[in-house]
Amino acid sequence: MPSVPNILPPPALSPAGHAEGVSNDEFRAAMARLAGGVVLVTAQEPSLDPGDPTAPPAEDVGMTATAFMSVSLDPPLVLISLRAGSRMDDLLDEQPLWGVSVLSESQRHIAGRFAMKGRLSDRLLFEDIPYRRGGFTEAPLVGGALANLECRTEQRVVAGDHTLVIGRVLAASLPSAEGGPLMYFRGRYRQLG
């Protein structure tokens, strides 16, 4: 008679939806041990008042992210994880074109600037940062970044309190070969080495 593997039942869920014994703080602490690269995700928000000729035609929006990864080579796909209901999540739900700048270790100030809570205006955040507009997306792409990608949303997947946005890469460039990547580890920006 073939042996049957011992299959354990899944852990019981607490009222908050977590497996028994796993708190938000424990989960955060465990995930903080996973080093990740730092990117700036950007897009253009269409004019909020297209009927007003004095209103700006569009506004640049940016967000620092560490949950970014390559998904597929053929076709070229990437994934970004966005907090559900965040400004960038809402924008990319309506605007399918966006950009990603892979930040270098010398661009820590950019990462910190776009990660601030309660900031007043993205327009002011872009003011003194060198960037160019993507040819496919019109999204700001940071100068001196290790890589710039232009993407079009292919799929959105709701995953708990986040949205996974899968984008097809329309263009890629390597603006700078200088320096190493900016990393995020144990709640702080870090450099390799």
Side-chain angles (χ1 to χ4, degrees):
M1 175 184 260
S3 68
V4 176
N6 290 334
I7 299 175
L8 298 175
L13 296 181
S14 71
H18 296 294
E20 290 295 329
V22 179
S23 71
N24 286 348
D25 290 341
E26 290 168 328
F27 182 69
R28 274 192 202 104
M31 291 298 96
R33 280 10 182 227
L34 178 64
V38 182
V39 301
L40 182 67
V41 181
T42 56
Q44 269 201 335
E45 183 173 45
S47 175
L48 299 176
D49 192 0
D52 180 357
T54 63
E59 183 175 347
D60 294 327
V61 178
M63 182 198 89
T64 302
T66 57
F68 175 77
M69 64 182 283
S70 168
V71 174
S72 168
L73 184 60
D74 187 16
L77 299 174
V78 293
L79 178 146
I80 186 78
S81 179
L82 304 172
R83 186 176 39 82
S86 67
R87 181 173 184 196
M88 189 62 75
D89 181 39
D90 291 345
L91 176 56
L92 295 189
D93 191 30
E94 296 179 14
Q95 161 64 283
L97 300 173
W98 42 284
V100 174
S101 297
V102 179
L103 299 179
S104 73
E105 59 195 3
S106 67
Q107 295 176 317
R108 178 185 303 220
H109 65 288
I110 296 173
R113 179 183 295 192
F114 284 91
M116 287 187 305
K117 293 184 181 181
R119 60 186 196 240
L120 297 175
S121 166
D122 282 48
R123 181 178 45 81
L124 296 175
L125 298 179
F126 281 103
E127 218 167 57
D128 62 349
I129 294 174
Y131 67 86
R132 69 174 176 83
R133 295 237 171 252
F136 291 94
T137 63
E138 291 295 312
L141 301 171
V142 176
L146 295 178
N148 292 139
L149 304 171
E150 292 188 79
C151 306
R152 182 185 65 233
T153 299
E154 294 276 309
Q155 188 177 0
R156 292 173 54 86
V157 178
V158 174
D161 60 1
H162 277 63
T163 303
L164 307 178
V165 180
I166 299 170
R168 180 181 293 255
V169 177
L170 305 173
S173 63
L174 307 174
S176 177
E178 298 299 316
L182 182 60
M183 304 295 292
Y184 193 73
F185 180 68
R186 290 191 174 182
R188 293 182 42 211
Y189 297 119
R190 311 225 184 208
Q191 299 173 342
L192 288 180

